[in-house]
Amino acid sequence: MERQNGKQSESTDLKTKSSPRKAASKDLKDCLADAPLQLVVIKPIEKITVDELAAKAGVGRATYFRAFHSKQEVVTYKIVRLWDEYASRHNLKIHDRFDLDNARAFFAFNLEIRNVLQVLYQADLQQTLYDAFCQVLLGFEQETELLHRFREKYYAYGLYGLLDEWIRNDFQPGPEQMAQMLRQIVRSPYVDQMEKVDTLSEW
């Protein structure tokens, strides 16, 4: 029994030690996440080196390679983190997938980070916004059924297109009006008709 208790104690110690490591790793990723947005106003992202990113963030090169696969992925991570912080501050019940109930919050969030979005557009990094958008509002679990996967992408591009046009229109009209328009689009007879399709053979 003593030996078993010893193992349990050791296991608990390891878990306790791993939490600070995870927190430290997240902090380092957060430090790195700010660097590309600061550097892309000076030069294109493809010309920014890993050394420059690491130096700007005050971390080592190894931290970058452990945490990310590309500079674009760093930017996507930053947008997701901003959304998580926004959702936490506003106590959003649904924040890890798209839902009409969070439509206004979605547009209000993008209005809040408009300076970040403007930097992304000036640097031609809209794809990072779409990638973050998919992670946040479509959820991380991918549908296995073919029709559902196609429908998921249909909504992903449609919603992103709406957001993209809104950004290019200088965030006008406001979030509440955009949410109302989105509800009208989603509940239109054309979309209702498409929602009734159960198999690809019926297209």
Side-chain angles (χ1 to χ4, degrees):
M1 281 292 290
E2 289 180 3
R3 190 173 179 184
Q4 187 175 5
N5 289 338
K7 283 184 179 179
Q8 285 181 333
S9 176
E10 183 180 350
S11 174
T12 303
D13 288 343
L14 287 172
K15 286 179 182 177
T16 304
K17 289 176 183 176
S18 68
S19 294
R21 283 199 202 102
K22 287 181 180 178
S25 175
K26 189 176 181 181
D27 287 342
L28 289 173
K29 287 180 74 172
D30 288 347
C31 288
L32 268 168
D34 289 323
L37 293 174
Q38 295 168 359
L39 292 171
V40 292
V41 298
I42 302 170
K43 61 168 74 174
I45 196 166
E46 61 270 14
K47 292 188 178 180
I48 297 172
T49 66
V50 173
D51 286 334
E52 287 174 320
L53 277 178
K56 193 73 174 175
V59 301
R61 283 170 52 91
T63 300
Y64 168 84
F65 288 111
R66 279 198 301 268
F68 301 105
H69 295 98
S70 70
K71 289 169 281 188
Q72 288 80 0
E73 187 181 343
V74 184
V75 180
T76 294
Y77 172 81
K78 176 64 179 179
I79 301 167
V80 173
R81 288 286 292 129
L82 287 172
W83 168 257
D84 288 341
E85 291 165 7
Y86 179 90
S88 178
R89 277 190 282 115
H90 293 271
N91 298 313
L92 298 186
K93 292 181 180 178
I94 301 173
H95 68 276
D96 58 351
R97 60 183 172 81
F98 178 75
D99 189 281
L100 281 177
D101 290 337
N102 68 14
R104 188 196 177 283
F106 169 65
F107 288 107
F109 160 71
N110 282 285
L111 181 61
E112 182 174 294
I113 65 163
R114 65 186 299 169
N115 291 340
V116 172
L117 299 180
Q118 286 165 349
V119 169
L120 295 183
Y121 272 64
Q122 289 166 7
D124 197 25
L125 288 171
Q126 296 94 317
Q127 181 63 41
T128 61
L129 177 60
Y130 173 73
D131 292 340
F133 171 83
C134 285
Q135 285 187 34
V136 169
L137 292 185
L138 294 182
F140 291 92
E141 292 185 9
Q142 294 295 316
E143 290 279 2
T144 55
E145 189 178 332
L146 189 59
L147 175 61
H148 290 168
R149 291 211 318 269
F150 281 137
R151 183 166 55 191
E152 210 171 57
K153 289 298 180 184
Y154 168 79
Y155 279 118
Y157 279 101
L159 290 167
Y160 172 72
L162 191 63
L163 174 62
D164 176 69
E165 186 61 27
W166 187 55
I167 293 170
R168 294 178 189 277
N169 199 47
D170 197 26
F171 301 89
Q172 294 296 327
E176 185 63 48
Q177 292 156 295
M178 288 300 298
Q180 289 174 2
M181 279 198 290
L182 177 58
R183 291 188 184 96
Q184 289 174 357
I185 292 168
V186 171
R187 291 168 179 166
S188 71
Y190 175 72
V191 175
D192 288 342
Q193 181 70 22
M194 294 190 69
E195 286 291 340
K196 293 176 183 177
V197 177
D198 292 323
T199 63
L200 284 174
S201 61
E202 293 178 283
W203 284 68

